[in-house]
Amino acid sequence: MIAAFDPAASAYDREFTFSRIGMAQRHQVWRYLDPLLNTPAMEVLELNCGTGIDAVHIARAGHHVLATDISAEMLKIARDTARQHGVEDNIHHETLAFHELPLRNWNARFQLALSDFGGLNCIDHDDLGALCDPVADALDLNGRFVAVLMPDRCLSETIYFLLKGEWSEAFRRRRHDPVWAGLSGSGVHTWYHSPRAVISAFRHRFRVVNIRPIGFFIPPSHMEPAFRTRPHLLDRLNRWDERLGHWRWPARYADHFLIDMERKA
């Protein structure tokens, strides 16, 4: 998996983070996170931090972040991003894979854990369940785990590919086997997890606080070229997403969904 993400690191920000679609979806996540960040300084564990833009947002709110990722190249960019924003003292970056989490003993050090934009889609359901205990053990009692994943349905993507006559692509998320998702210069196996599957994987240590759609009307980032000359349309779709964001039922049919879980006793 490391080999898949290292070559893509240099293009990730251009193709997703700072794309119109990527920024619109990320700001939907931040609107949900910001009330959680409106607290005294917390210790935050970020999984699959990528190029570090979420860690910067959290650090600028006054918190300390341990930002982890499997890709050393992603972390190099993340460190540069932290320096550019003047928050390098509040962020520690560390190379860490999901399967290494059980080897760490943080003794309930963190009040918040975050996995943003599909990092958990890089593992299958069994490995997803294996994360439950190590993430719970890293959190204080009543600590929160906020994860953003791609579900096994996406209405806008299905319609898009049906209109293009690409039937296999239209329903690719419903497959039980992993889908090969292209990245710049590489690719990665991707599993699509329904909200119910995530709840099942974490239910013995967490209770669900909330589930939200992220990008129900805002489409997946691979559709960015279709919106480059239509910024006003994208703004309108974003406003529709804001109105729909308090409802749970669209979560399974959006490009991503956010699930907020609280660690139980």
Side-chain angles (χ1 to χ4, degrees), residues 5 12 16-17 21-30 33 46-50 53-54 69 74 98 114-122 146-150 183 188 190 213-215 218-221 255-258:
F5 284 104
Y12 181 80
F16 180 70
T17 305
I21 287 174
M23 290 189 69
Q25 290 197 14
R26 193 174 300 273
H27 279 100
Q28 290 179 17
V29 175
W30 287 355
L33 278 180
E46 185 179 8
L47 308 177
N48 55 270
C49 72
I53 195 67
D54 288 314
D69 200 277
M74 289 281 193
F98 291 145
L114 172 68
S115 172
D116 206 358
F117 285 112
L120 299 185
N121 291 106
C122 298
V146 176
V148 179
L149 304 88
M150 292 178 286
L183 298 169
V188 63
T190 301
I214 301 294
I218 294 287
S221 58
D255 183 35
H256 291 82
F257 69 93
L258 179 151

mmCIF file of all heavy atoms in Angstrom, residues 5 12 16-17 21-30 33 46-50 53-54 69 74 98 114-122 146-150 183 188 190 213-215 218-221 255-258:
data_model
loop_
_atom_site.group_PDB
_atom_site.id
_atom_site.type_symbol
_atom_site.label_atom_id
_atom_site.label_comp_id
_atom_site.label_asym_id
_atom_site.label_seq_id
_atom_site.Cartn_x
_atom_site.Cartn_y
_atom_site.Cartn_z
ATOM 1 N N PHE A 5 0.686 5.004 -2.509
ATOM 2 C CA PHE A 5 0.453 6.390 -2.116
ATOM 3 C C PHE A 5 1.656 7.291 -2.311
ATOM 4 O O PHE A 5 1.491 8.487 -2.551
ATOM 5 C CB PHE A 5 -0.001 6.449 -0.652
ATOM 6 C CG PHE A 5 -1.432 6.026 -0.482
ATOM 7 C CD1 PHE A 5 -1.740 4.785 0.038
ATOM 8 C CD2 PHE A 5 -2.470 6.867 -0.845
ATOM 9 C CE1 PHE A 5 -3.058 4.391 0.192
ATOM 10 C CE2 PHE A 5 -3.792 6.491 -0.697
ATOM 11 C CZ PHE A 5 -4.079 5.245 -0.175
ATOM 12 N N TYR A 12 -1.694 14.854 -5.057
ATOM 13 C CA TYR A 12 -2.924 14.680 -4.276
ATOM 14 C C TYR A 12 -3.610 16.021 -3.996
ATOM 15 O O TYR A 12 -4.820 16.151 -4.155
ATOM 16 C CB TYR A 12 -2.612 13.953 -2.968
ATOM 17 C CG TYR A 12 -3.823 13.721 -2.110
ATOM 18 C CD1 TYR A 12 -4.698 12.676 -2.385
ATOM 19 C CD2 TYR A 12 -4.113 14.549 -1.027
ATOM 20 C CE1 TYR A 12 -5.822 12.456 -1.594
ATOM 21 C CE2 TYR A 12 -5.227 14.339 -0.238
ATOM 22 C CZ TYR A 12 -6.073 13.286 -0.527
ATOM 23 O OH TYR A 12 -7.181 13.087 0.247
ATOM 24 N N PHE A 16 -7.218 16.663 -5.576
ATOM 25 C CA PHE A 16 -8.349 16.544 -4.657
ATOM 26 C C PHE A 16 -8.401 17.695 -3.646
ATOM 27 O O PHE A 16 -9.341 18.474 -3.642
ATOM 28 C CB PHE A 16 -8.341 15.210 -3.905
ATOM 29 C CG PHE A 16 -9.501 15.095 -2.954
ATOM 30 C CD1 PHE A 16 -10.785 14.941 -3.430
ATOM 31 C CD2 PHE A 16 -9.312 15.186 -1.588
ATOM 32 C CE1 PHE A 16 -11.877 14.878 -2.564
ATOM 33 C CE2 PHE A 16 -10.386 15.110 -0.707
ATOM 34 C CZ PHE A 16 -11.674 14.951 -1.201
ATOM 35 N N THR A 17 -7.374 17.831 -2.798
ATOM 36 C CA THR A 17 -7.462 18.778 -1.685
ATOM 37 C C THR A 17 -7.871 20.169 -2.132
ATOM 38 O O THR A 17 -8.769 20.789 -1.553
ATOM 39 C CB THR A 17 -6.125 18.856 -0.929
ATOM 40 O OG1 THR A 17 -5.751 17.541 -0.509
ATOM 41 C CG2 THR A 17 -6.231 19.774 0.268
ATOM 42 N N ILE A 21 -14.182 20.599 -6.042
ATOM 43 C CA ILE A 21 -14.999 19.575 -5.395
ATOM 44 C C ILE A 21 -14.376 19.160 -4.066
ATOM 45 O O ILE A 21 -15.065 19.045 -3.046
ATOM 46 C CB ILE A 21 -15.177 18.369 -6.325
ATOM 47 C CG1 ILE A 21 -16.141 18.741 -7.467
ATOM 48 C CG2 ILE A 21 -15.690 17.155 -5.564
ATOM 49 C CD1 ILE A 21 -16.287 17.669 -8.526
ATOM 50 N N GLY A 22 -13.076 18.948 -4.059
ATOM 51 C CA GLY A 22 -12.407 18.537 -2.830
ATOM 52 C C GLY A 22 -12.554 19.559 -1.725
ATOM 53 O O GLY A 22 -12.826 19.215 -0.562
ATOM 54 N N MET A 23 -12.397 20.836 -2.058
ATOM 55 C CA MET A 23 -12.524 21.881 -1.046
ATOM 56 C C MET A 23 -13.962 21.996 -0.553
ATOM 57 O O MET A 23 -14.204 22.204 0.645
ATOM 58 C CB MET A 23 -12.038 23.215 -1.608
ATOM 59 C CG MET A 23 -10.542 23.274 -1.836
ATOM 60 S SD MET A 23 -9.944 24.937 -2.241
ATOM 61 C CE MET A 23 -10.204 25.772 -0.670
ATOM 62 N N ALA A 24 -14.922 21.846 -1.454
ATOM 63 C CA ALA A 24 -16.325 21.932 -1.048
ATOM 64 C C ALA A 24 -16.670 20.814 -0.067
ATOM 65 O O ALA A 24 -17.320 21.043 0.966
ATOM 66 C CB ALA A 24 -17.232 21.869 -2.271
ATOM 67 N N GLN A 25 -16.221 19.594 -0.367
ATOM 68 C CA GLN A 25 -16.515 18.487 0.532
ATOM 69 C C GLN A 25 -15.757 18.624 1.852
ATOM 70 O O GLN A 25 -16.298 18.337 2.927
ATOM 71 C CB GLN A 25 -16.165 17.160 -0.143
ATOM 72 C CG GLN A 25 -17.098 16.799 -1.280
ATOM 73 C CD GLN A 25 -17.026 15.336 -1.667
ATOM 74 O OE1 GLN A 25 -16.470 14.511 -0.946
ATOM 75 N NE2 GLN A 25 -17.574 14.998 -2.827
ATOM 76 N N ARG A 26 -14.506 19.081 1.800
ATOM 77 C CA ARG A 26 -13.732 19.209 3.043
ATOM 78 C C ARG A 26 -14.355 20.267 3.956
ATOM 79 O O ARG A 26 -14.374 20.113 5.179
ATOM 80 C CB ARG A 26 -12.276 19.554 2.745
ATOM 81 C CG ARG A 26 -11.367 19.394 3.973
ATOM 82 C CD ARG A 26 -9.918 19.597 3.614
ATOM 83 N NE ARG A 26 -9.449 18.650 2.613
ATOM 84 C CZ ARG A 26 -8.969 17.439 2.906
ATOM 85 N NH1 ARG A 26 -8.900 17.035 4.158
ATOM 86 N NH2 ARG A 26 -8.547 16.654 1.926
ATOM 87 N N HIS A 27 -14.844 21.349 3.383
ATOM 88 C CA HIS A 27 -15.472 22.374 4.215
ATOM 89 C C HIS A 27 -16.757 21.862 4.845
ATOM 90 O O HIS A 27 -17.141 22.314 5.937
ATOM 91 C CB HIS A 27 -15.723 23.643 3.403
ATOM 92 C CG HIS A 27 -14.507 24.499 3.268
ATOM 93 N ND1 HIS A 27 -13.728 24.511 2.138
ATOM 94 C CD2 HIS A 27 -13.900 25.355 4.137
ATOM 95 C CE1 HIS A 27 -12.712 25.354 2.303
ATOM 96 N NE2 HIS A 27 -12.792 25.867 3.505
ATOM 97 N N GLN A 28 -17.434 20.912 4.206
ATOM 98 C CA GLN A 28 -18.579 20.282 4.851
ATOM 99 C C GLN A 28 -18.140 19.510 6.087
ATOM 100 O O GLN A 28 -18.816 19.544 7.128
ATOM 101 C CB GLN A 28 -19.299 19.354 3.870
ATOM 102 C CG GLN A 28 -20.030 20.076 2.752
ATOM 103 C CD GLN A 28 -20.705 19.135 1.776
ATOM 104 O OE1 GLN A 28 -20.907 17.954 2.076
ATOM 105 N NE2 GLN A 28 -21.048 19.639 0.599
ATOM 106 N N VAL A 29 -17.004 18.820 5.996
ATOM 107 C CA VAL A 29 -16.464 18.110 7.163
ATOM 108 C C VAL A 29 -16.070 19.110 8.247
ATOM 109 O O VAL A 29 -16.373 18.919 9.436
ATOM 110 C CB VAL A 29 -15.255 17.243 6.758
ATOM 111 C CG1 VAL A 29 -14.605 16.605 7.992
ATOM 112 C CG2 VAL A 29 -15.663 16.162 5.765
ATOM 113 N N TRP A 30 -15.402 20.189 7.876
ATOM 114 C CA TRP A 30 -14.957 21.176 8.868
ATOM 115 C C TRP A 30 -16.137 21.836 9.574
ATOM 116 O O TRP A 30 -16.053 22.151 10.765
ATOM 117 C CB TRP A 30 -14.066 22.219 8.209
ATOM 118 C CG TRP A 30 -12.696 21.702 7.855
ATOM 119 C CD1 TRP A 30 -12.176 20.467 8.152
ATOM 120 C CD2 TRP A 30 -11.677 22.404 7.138
ATOM 121 N NE1 TRP A 30 -10.896 20.352 7.660
ATOM 122 C CE2 TRP A 30 -10.571 21.531 7.039
ATOM 123 C CE3 TRP A 30 -11.601 23.672 6.573
ATOM 124 C CZ2 TRP A 30 -9.390 21.904 6.388
ATOM 125 C CZ3 TRP A 30 -10.424 24.043 5.927
ATOM 126 C CH2 TRP A 30 -9.328 23.160 5.844
ATOM 127 N N LEU A 33 -16.875 19.508 12.241
ATOM 128 C CA LEU A 33 -15.821 19.390 13.244
ATOM 129 C C LEU A 33 -15.698 20.629 14.125
ATOM 130 O O LEU A 33 -15.363 20.515 15.320
ATOM 131 C CB LEU A 33 -14.468 19.148 12.561
ATOM 132 C CG LEU A 33 -14.095 17.745 12.127
ATOM 133 C CD1 LEU A 33 -12.721 17.756 11.477
ATOM 134 C CD2 LEU A 33 -14.107 16.780 13.310
ATOM 135 N N GLU A 46 -4.727 11.853 14.393
ATOM 136 C CA GLU A 46 -5.236 11.787 13.025
ATOM 137 C C GLU A 46 -4.637 10.595 12.309
ATOM 138 O O GLU A 46 -3.414 10.448 12.215
ATOM 139 C CB GLU A 46 -4.928 13.060 12.236
ATOM 140 C CG GLU A 46 -5.570 13.017 10.855
ATOM 141 C CD GLU A 46 -5.349 14.249 10.011
ATOM 142 O OE1 GLU A 46 -4.559 15.122 10.404
ATOM 143 O OE2 GLU A 46 -5.966 14.311 8.928
ATOM 144 N N LEU A 47 -5.500 9.734 11.800
ATOM 145 C CA LEU A 47 -5.095 8.606 10.969
ATOM 146 C C LEU A 47 -5.150 9.030 9.507
ATOM 147 O O LEU A 47 -5.931 9.899 9.128
ATOM 148 C CB LEU A 47 -6.026 7.410 11.214
ATOM 149 C CG LEU A 47 -6.226 6.987 12.674
ATOM 150 C CD1 LEU A 47 -7.233 5.834 12.758
ATOM 151 C CD2 LEU A 47 -4.901 6.592 13.309
ATOM 152 N N ASN A 48 -4.332 8.395 8.684
ATOM 153 C CA ASN A 48 -4.269 8.707 7.246
ATOM 154 C C ASN A 48 -4.366 10.208 6.997
ATOM 155 O O ASN A 48 -5.258 10.708 6.314
ATOM 156 C CB ASN A 48 -5.330 7.943 6.441
ATOM 157 C CG ASN A 48 -6.776 8.107 6.905
ATOM 158 O OD1 ASN A 48 -7.256 7.337 7.731
ATOM 159 N ND2 ASN A 48 -7.468 9.094 6.377
ATOM 160 N N CYS A 49 -3.405 10.962 7.539
ATOM 161 C CA CYS A 49 -3.468 12.430 7.475
ATOM 162 C C CYS A 49 -3.190 12.974 6.083
ATOM 163 O O CYS A 49 -3.451 14.148 5.815
ATOM 164 C CB CYS A 49 -2.492 13.040 8.479
ATOM 165 S SG CYS A 49 -0.734 12.876 8.056
ATOM 166 N N GLY A 50 -2.633 12.155 5.180
ATOM 167 C CA GLY A 50 -2.363 12.639 3.836
ATOM 168 C C GLY A 50 -1.393 13.800 3.839
ATOM 169 O O GLY A 50 -0.364 13.764 4.524
ATOM 170 N N ILE A 53 -3.692 18.857 5.575
ATOM 171 C CA ILE A 53 -4.504 20.067 5.642
ATOM 172 C C ILE A 53 -5.483 20.025 6.811
ATOM 173 O O ILE A 53 -5.777 21.060 7.436
ATOM 174 C CB ILE A 53 -5.245 20.316 4.301
ATOM 175 C CG1 ILE A 53 -5.791 21.753 4.245
ATOM 176 C CG2 ILE A 53 -6.321 19.282 4.056
ATOM 177 C CD1 ILE A 53 -4.717 22.804 4.192
ATOM 178 N N ASP A 54 -5.990 18.844 7.158
ATOM 179 C CA ASP A 54 -6.887 18.748 8.313
ATOM 180 C C ASP A 54 -6.122 18.993 9.608
ATOM 181 O O ASP A 54 -6.641 19.656 10.526
ATOM 182 C CB ASP A 54 -7.552 17.370 8.367
ATOM 183 C CG ASP A 54 -8.590 17.187 7.279
ATOM 184 O OD1 ASP A 54 -9.409 18.106 7.066
ATOM 185 O OD2 ASP A 54 -8.598 16.127 6.634
ATOM 186 N N ASP A 69 0.420 8.714 8.952
ATOM 187 C CA ASP A 69 0.091 8.232 7.620
ATOM 188 C C ASP A 69 1.060 7.112 7.267
ATOM 189 O O ASP A 69 2.189 7.062 7.782
ATOM 190 C CB ASP A 69 0.190 9.351 6.575
ATOM 191 C CG ASP A 69 -0.601 9.028 5.313
ATOM 192 O OD1 ASP A 69 -0.073 8.315 4.448
ATOM 193 O OD2 ASP A 69 -1.757 9.469 5.211
ATOM 194 N N MET A 74 3.745 11.510 1.647
ATOM 195 C CA MET A 74 2.642 12.342 2.107
ATOM 196 C C MET A 74 3.060 13.149 3.331
ATOM 197 O O MET A 74 2.747 14.345 3.449
ATOM 198 C CB MET A 74 1.426 11.465 2.453
ATOM 199 C CG MET A 74 0.725 10.853 1.260
ATOM 200 S SD MET A 74 -0.358 12.031 0.415
ATOM 201 C CE MET A 74 -1.287 10.898 -0.645
ATOM 202 N N PHE A 98 -2.173 1.277 9.608
ATOM 203 C CA PHE A 98 -3.290 0.821 10.430
ATOM 204 C C PHE A 98 -2.929 -0.429 11.227
ATOM 205 O O PHE A 98 -3.294 -0.540 12.405
ATOM 206 C CB PHE A 98 -4.517 0.531 9.553
ATOM 207 C CG PHE A 98 -5.155 1.752 8.949
ATOM 208 C CD1 PHE A 98 -5.722 1.690 7.682
ATOM 209 C CD2 PHE A 98 -5.205 2.955 9.637
ATOM 210 C CE1 PHE A 98 -6.328 2.803 7.126
ATOM 211 C CE2 PHE A 98 -5.801 4.076 9.087
ATOM 212 C CZ PHE A 98 -6.371 4.000 7.830
ATOM 213 N N LEU A 114 -9.428 11.236 14.284
ATOM 214 C CA LEU A 114 -10.004 11.604 12.986
ATOM 215 C C LEU A 114 -9.403 10.738 11.892
ATOM 216 O O LEU A 114 -8.191 10.525 11.843
ATOM 217 C CB LEU A 114 -9.720 13.080 12.683
ATOM 218 C CG LEU A 114 -10.093 13.581 11.278
ATOM 219 C CD1 LEU A 114 -11.609 13.595 11.089
ATOM 220 C CD2 LEU A 114 -9.525 14.976 11.020
ATOM 221 N N SER A 115 -10.262 10.250 11.020
ATOM 222 C CA SER A 115 -9.833 9.604 9.778
ATOM 223 C C SER A 115 -10.666 10.205 8.661
ATOM 224 O O SER A 115 -11.860 9.913 8.537
ATOM 225 C CB SER A 115 -10.037 8.085 9.835
ATOM 226 O OG SER A 115 -9.793 7.500 8.564
ATOM 227 N N ASP A 116 -10.044 11.071 7.866
ATOM 228 C CA ASP A 116 -10.813 11.828 6.874
ATOM 229 C C ASP A 116 -10.636 11.259 5.472
ATOM 230 O O ASP A 116 -9.596 10.706 5.124
ATOM 231 C CB ASP A 116 -10.377 13.303 6.907
ATOM 232 C CG ASP A 116 -11.472 14.242 6.422
ATOM 233 O OD1 ASP A 116 -12.549 13.755 6.025
ATOM 234 O OD2 ASP A 116 -11.259 15.470 6.458
ATOM 235 N N PHE A 117 -11.664 11.397 4.689
ATOM 236 C CA PHE A 117 -11.682 11.167 3.242
ATOM 237 C C PHE A 117 -11.080 9.843 2.785
ATOM 238 O O PHE A 117 -10.096 9.789 2.055
ATOM 239 C CB PHE A 117 -11.042 12.344 2.511
ATOM 240 C CG PHE A 117 -11.973 13.528 2.483
ATOM 241 C CD1 PHE A 117 -11.676 14.677 3.185
ATOM 242 C CD2 PHE A 117 -13.180 13.459 1.806
ATOM 243 C CE1 PHE A 117 -12.548 15.755 3.202
ATOM 244 C CE2 PHE A 117 -14.068 14.528 1.812
ATOM 245 C CZ PHE A 117 -13.756 15.674 2.506
ATOM 246 N N GLY A 118 -11.725 8.771 3.241
ATOM 247 C CA GLY A 118 -11.524 7.486 2.597
ATOM 248 C C GLY A 118 -10.319 6.678 3.007
ATOM 249 O O GLY A 118 -10.047 5.652 2.389
ATOM 250 N N GLY A 119 -9.589 7.097 4.044
ATOM 251 C CA GLY A 119 -8.482 6.264 4.489
ATOM 252 C C GLY A 119 -8.948 4.874 4.888
ATOM 253 O O GLY A 119 -8.288 3.873 4.585
ATOM 254 N N LEU A 120 -10.114 4.797 5.528
ATOM 255 C CA LEU A 120 -10.637 3.501 5.961
ATOM 256 C C LEU A 120 -11.200 2.688 4.802
ATOM 257 O O LEU A 120 -11.530 1.512 4.984
ATOM 258 C CB LEU A 120 -11.710 3.705 7.038
ATOM 259 C CG LEU A 120 -11.230 4.395 8.324
ATOM 260 C CD1 LEU A 120 -12.347 4.429 9.356
ATOM 261 C CD2 LEU A 120 -9.998 3.711 8.898
ATOM 262 N N ASN A 121 -11.310 3.301 3.628
ATOM 263 C CA ASN A 121 -11.702 2.529 2.443
ATOM 264 C C ASN A 121 -10.548 1.733 1.854
ATOM 265 O O ASN A 121 -10.741 0.970 0.900
ATOM 266 C CB ASN A 121 -12.271 3.458 1.368
ATOM 267 C CG ASN A 121 -13.607 4.052 1.759
ATOM 268 O OD1 ASN A 121 -13.690 5.231 2.098
ATOM 269 N ND2 ASN A 121 -14.660 3.239 1.734
ATOM 270 N N CYS A 122 -9.365 1.913 2.409
ATOM 271 C CA CYS A 122 -8.195 1.162 1.928
ATOM 272 C C CYS A 122 -8.027 -0.169 2.644
ATOM 273 O O CYS A 122 -7.035 -0.861 2.427
ATOM 274 C CB CYS A 122 -6.930 2.004 2.088
ATOM 275 S SG CYS A 122 -6.960 3.532 1.132
ATOM 276 N N VAL A 146 -14.167 10.496 14.705
ATOM 277 C CA VAL A 146 -14.875 10.985 13.532
ATOM 278 C C VAL A 146 -14.189 10.437 12.293
ATOM 279 O O VAL A 146 -12.988 10.641 12.100
ATOM 280 C CB VAL A 146 -14.884 12.527 13.493
ATOM 281 C CG1 VAL A 146 -15.551 13.023 12.209
ATOM 282 C CG2 VAL A 146 -15.597 13.092 14.718
ATOM 283 N N ALA A 147 -14.935 9.713 11.484
ATOM 284 C CA ALA A 147 -14.382 9.105 10.276
ATOM 285 C C ALA A 147 -15.225 9.501 9.075
ATOM 286 O O ALA A 147 -16.455 9.609 9.168
ATOM 287 C CB ALA A 147 -14.338 7.581 10.407
ATOM 288 N N VAL A 148 -14.560 9.719 7.952
ATOM 289 C CA VAL A 148 -15.236 10.069 6.698
ATOM 290 C C VAL A 148 -14.851 9.014 5.674
ATOM 291 O O VAL A 148 -13.673 8.838 5.364
ATOM 292 C CB VAL A 148 -14.839 11.477 6.227
ATOM 293 C CG1 VAL A 148 -15.542 11.819 4.915
ATOM 294 C CG2 VAL A 148 -15.169 12.520 7.295
ATOM 295 N N LEU A 149 -15.847 8.301 5.165
ATOM 296 C CA LEU A 149 -15.622 7.177 4.262
ATOM 297 C C LEU A 149 -16.491 7.305 3.022
ATOM 298 O O LEU A 149 -17.478 8.040 3.000
ATOM 299 C CB LEU A 149 -15.968 5.842 4.943
ATOM 300 C CG LEU A 149 -15.300 5.445 6.243
ATOM 301 C CD1 LEU A 149 -16.069 5.988 7.441
ATOM 302 C CD2 LEU A 149 -15.204 3.927 6.344
ATOM 303 N N MET A 150 -16.143 6.501 2.014
ATOM 304 C CA MET A 150 -16.986 6.370 0.827
ATOM 305 C C MET A 150 -17.933 5.188 1.038
ATOM 306 O O MET A 150 -17.482 4.079 1.342
ATOM 307 C CB MET A 150 -16.125 6.137 -0.415
ATOM 308 C CG MET A 150 -15.287 7.332 -0.811
ATOM 309 S SD MET A 150 -14.224 7.030 -2.261
ATOM 310 C CE MET A 150 -12.945 5.994 -1.522
ATOM 311 N N LEU A 183 -4.923 6.491 -8.916
ATOM 312 C CA LEU A 183 -4.294 7.691 -8.381
ATOM 313 C C LEU A 183 -3.258 8.145 -9.394
ATOM 314 O O LEU A 183 -2.929 7.406 -10.324
ATOM 315 C CB LEU A 183 -3.619 7.406 -7.033
ATOM 316 C CG LEU A 183 -4.519 6.943 -5.890
ATOM 317 C CD1 LEU A 183 -3.679 6.443 -4.729
ATOM 318 C CD2 LEU A 183 -5.414 8.076 -5.436
ATOM 319 N N VAL A 188 -4.901 2.167 -5.940
ATOM 320 C CA VAL A 188 -5.027 1.483 -4.649
ATOM 321 C C VAL A 188 -6.323 0.679 -4.652
ATOM 322 O O VAL A 188 -7.325 1.082 -5.240
ATOM 323 C CB VAL A 188 -5.010 2.498 -3.486
ATOM 324 C CG1 VAL A 188 -6.198 3.437 -3.564
ATOM 325 C CG2 VAL A 188 -4.928 1.805 -2.147
ATOM 326 N N THR A 190 -9.708 -0.463 -3.209
ATOM 327 C CA THR A 190 -10.665 0.304 -2.431
ATOM 328 C C THR A 190 -11.880 -0.558 -2.105
ATOM 329 O O THR A 190 -12.458 -1.180 -2.988
ATOM 330 C CB THR A 190 -11.115 1.552 -3.216
ATOM 331 O OG1 THR A 190 -9.966 2.362 -3.508
ATOM 332 C CG2 THR A 190 -12.112 2.373 -2.423
ATOM 333 N N PRO A 213 -24.277 12.969 5.490
ATOM 334 C CA PRO A 213 -23.768 12.865 4.114
ATOM 335 C C PRO A 213 -22.720 13.938 3.858
ATOM 336 O O PRO A 213 -22.833 15.064 4.347
ATOM 337 C CB PRO A 213 -25.013 13.099 3.256
ATOM 338 C CG PRO A 213 -25.886 13.968 4.119
ATOM 339 C CD PRO A 213 -25.633 13.542 5.543
ATOM 340 N N ILE A 214 -21.689 13.587 3.115
ATOM 341 C CA ILE A 214 -20.677 14.550 2.656
ATOM 342 C C ILE A 214 -20.615 14.425 1.134
ATOM 343 O O ILE A 214 -20.072 13.476 0.595
ATOM 344 C CB ILE A 214 -19.292 14.269 3.272
ATOM 345 C CG1 ILE A 214 -19.338 14.330 4.794
ATOM 346 C CG2 ILE A 214 -18.257 15.239 2.705
ATOM 347 C CD1 ILE A 214 -19.644 15.706 5.375
ATOM 348 N N GLY A 215 -21.208 15.381 0.450
ATOM 349 C CA GLY A 215 -21.210 15.337 -1.004
ATOM 350 C C GLY A 215 -22.342 14.498 -1.566
ATOM 351 O O GLY A 215 -22.105 13.575 -2.345
ATOM 352 N N ILE A 218 -22.901 17.536 -4.227
ATOM 353 C CA ILE A 218 -21.530 17.725 -4.723
ATOM 354 C C ILE A 218 -21.011 16.366 -5.183
ATOM 355 O O ILE A 218 -21.004 15.408 -4.416
ATOM 356 C CB ILE A 218 -20.616 18.271 -3.613
ATOM 357 C CG1 ILE A 218 -21.037 19.676 -3.213
ATOM 358 C CG2 ILE A 218 -19.156 18.254 -4.042
ATOM 359 C CD1 ILE A 218 -20.713 20.745 -4.217
ATOM 360 N N PRO A 219 -20.554 16.240 -6.419
ATOM 361 C CA PRO A 219 -20.216 14.920 -6.958
ATOM 362 C C PRO A 219 -18.820 14.460 -6.547
ATOM 363 O O PRO A 219 -18.054 15.204 -5.927
ATOM 364 C CB PRO A 219 -20.290 15.152 -8.475
ATOM 365 C CG PRO A 219 -19.861 16.580 -8.617
ATOM 366 C CD PRO A 219 -20.426 17.306 -7.425
ATOM 367 N N PRO A 220 -18.447 13.226 -6.899
ATOM 368 C CA PRO A 220 -17.085 12.744 -6.647
ATOM 369 C C PRO A 220 -16.049 13.575 -7.401
ATOM 370 O O PRO A 220 -16.340 14.191 -8.431
ATOM 371 C CB PRO A 220 -17.119 11.300 -7.158
ATOM 372 C CG PRO A 220 -18.562 10.913 -7.106
ATOM 373 C CD PRO A 220 -19.318 12.161 -7.420
ATOM 374 N N SER A 221 -14.828 13.564 -6.891
ATOM 375 C CA SER A 221 -13.776 14.436 -7.433
ATOM 376 C C SER A 221 -13.382 14.070 -8.857
ATOM 377 O O SER A 221 -12.872 14.926 -9.591
ATOM 378 C CB SER A 221 -12.543 14.404 -6.530
ATOM 379 O OG SER A 221 -12.052 13.091 -6.389
ATOM 380 N N ASP A 255 -21.236 10.863 -1.906
ATOM 381 C CA ASP A 255 -19.884 10.453 -2.282
ATOM 382 C C ASP A 255 -19.118 9.966 -1.062
ATOM 383 O O ASP A 255 -18.377 8.988 -1.119
ATOM 384 C CB ASP A 255 -19.145 11.623 -2.937
ATOM 385 C CG ASP A 255 -17.750 11.238 -3.420
ATOM 386 O OD1 ASP A 255 -17.575 10.084 -3.875
ATOM 387 O OD2 ASP A 255 -16.843 12.077 -3.351
ATOM 388 N N HIS A 256 -19.275 10.664 0.076
ATOM 389 C CA HIS A 256 -18.711 10.256 1.352
ATOM 390 C C HIS A 256 -19.793 10.376 2.422
ATOM 391 O O HIS A 256 -20.805 11.032 2.221
ATOM 392 C CB HIS A 256 -17.534 11.156 1.765
ATOM 393 C CG HIS A 256 -16.306 11.017 0.920
ATOM 394 N ND1 HIS A 256 -16.166 11.677 -0.285
ATOM 395 C CD2 HIS A 256 -15.152 10.313 1.114
ATOM 396 C CE1 HIS A 256 -14.980 11.377 -0.808
ATOM 397 N NE2 HIS A 256 -14.358 10.559 0.017
ATOM 398 N N PHE A 257 -19.560 9.739 3.545
ATOM 399 C CA PHE A 257 -20.382 10.016 4.714
ATOM 400 C C PHE A 257 -19.481 10.181 5.925
ATOM 401 O O PHE A 257 -18.385 9.619 6.003
ATOM 402 C CB PHE A 257 -21.419 8.904 4.961
ATOM 403 C CG PHE A 257 -20.853 7.577 5.410
ATOM 404 C CD1 PHE A 257 -20.731 7.272 6.772
ATOM 405 C CD2 PHE A 257 -20.425 6.634 4.483
ATOM 406 C CE1 PHE A 257 -20.222 6.048 7.186
ATOM 407 C CE2 PHE A 257 -19.919 5.406 4.887
ATOM 408 C CZ PHE A 257 -19.810 5.114 6.253
ATOM 409 N N LEU A 258 -19.944 11.002 6.855
ATOM 410 C CA LEU A 258 -19.233 11.237 8.119
ATOM 411 C C LEU A 258 -19.966 10.476 9.208
ATOM 412 O O LEU A 258 -21.194 10.565 9.328
ATOM 413 C CB LEU A 258 -19.202 12.728 8.428
ATOM 414 C CG LEU A 258 -18.518 13.187 9.720
ATOM 415 C CD1 LEU A 258 -17.958 14.611 9.539
ATOM 416 C CD2 LEU A 258 -19.468 13.171 10.918
#
